[in-house]
Amino acid sequence: MKKIVVMGSTGSIGTQTLDIAREHKDELEVVALTACLSVDMMEQQAREFSPKIVAMYDEKSAGELSARLKDTDIKVLAGMDGLIAAASMEEADTVVTAMVGMIGIRPTIAAIEAGHDIALANKETLVCAGHIIMPLAKRCNVSIYPVDSEHSAIFQSLDSEDHADVERIILTASGGPFRTCSYEQLEGMTAADALKHPNWSMGAKITVDSATLVNKGLEVMEACHLFGVGLDDIEVVIHPQSIIHSAVMFRDGAIMAQMGSPDMKLPIQYALFYPRRPYLATERVDLVKLGSLTFEKPDPEKFKGFKYAYEAARCGGSMPTVFNAANERAVALFLKGKIGFTDIARLIKNAMDTVPVSADPDVDMIFEAEDAAIAAVDKMCEHLGEKN
Ligand code: MG
């Protein structure tokens, strides 16, 4: 039995992880679940999977859940301390980090220090703290299995190959719902437009990130940390059909790619069962029906958030945190209808231009950079509000 902790269990990746746990009851045991606010769903999950611990980041939600689960033996914990306790619980083997945003940094560090393998879906953790997480994982002899579909594809393509033979990583992107729009059209796009992703069904934040291509920028940084490569070793290719989930080119010119229908269950299951491939009832790709696969170059002048991601990565230190935190804040404002679609990149750029950056930030400094980036976004938003 593999004992798993599912962090962010009420989100898109979290619920799909539990679908897999339900399918493989004889092999996977859920020992802890964590979420932020969704008390109803958490109660349901807790009653179905009977974990030892459930933790709610929001203290009030934890109080409510605790009252509802009174008739069970499940321990209900609250706040960041609760998340950390769940991540580091002794009996766990693997921690699935599927929470949204930088909230994942401290629990992921705690899980690694406790010696648990990580099935990593929370890319913000590596973007902001990869320089701390990767060496720590190595020291603690912990494996990090990517759950992000592109990184899982790269991981699968690299399996059993000599990393010294890698010439370049080919990171694919669907291009999102606005791939063929002009910049002028982008300016008028609303949250409802951005949430209509052509291929993938995902949470709201990442779907907007996919529309801005900020997600791809974050994934480039994630790949640098995960696979120990430089920015220039990664080529981003727009592939609108989302069938090739990413690829690796080797120095003899061979390209190894992982293909499949766009279904997150495959990378989740692979991360949990590596190196095995149990049966998965996912849609099979019919190559003949598909007919053709197409590829194009991303346009960093249209999708400026993508360009700023490269600037943030080149600068390094706490700049990726500033980029990521400004984006998180701006996307939240966009989803509330407070700013326009192209304002997201504007706000990111402004934060990168105004927040002081440190070269080698520790965890506290990362969170200081986050606060400063959020303050920079809010300040410029007030300014935008005054102008209107
Ligand atoms: Mg991805």
Side-chain angles (χ1 to χ4, degrees), residues 35-40 42-43 54-69 76-79:
C36 187
L37 287 162
S38 310
V39 175
D40 287 344
M42 185 55 107
E43 184 191 358
V54 293
M56 301 297 287
Y57 183 55
D58 178 64
E59 311 258 347
K60 213 180 126 220
S61 303
E64 204 188 319
L65 184 68
S66 172
R68 291 205 205 169
L69 292 176
V76 179
L77 303 175

Side-chain angles (χ1 to χ4, degrees), residues 123 148-150 215 219:
K123 68 189 79 178
D148 207 345
S149 61
E150 295 79 358
N215 182 52
E219 288 183 352

Side-chain angles (χ1 to χ4, degrees), residues 91-105:
E91 55 262 68
D93 298 308
T94 298
V95 177
V96 181
T97 62
M99 60 286 263
V100 177
M102 291 174 57
I103 187 186
I105 295 176

Side-chain angles (χ1 to χ4, degrees), residues 127 213-222 305-306 309-310 313 323:
V127 167
L213 289 202
V214 162
N215 182 52
K216 212 44 59 178
L218 294 172
E219 288 183 352
V220 168
M221 295 189 242
E222 182 186 10
F306 180 67
Y310 272 86
F323 171 87

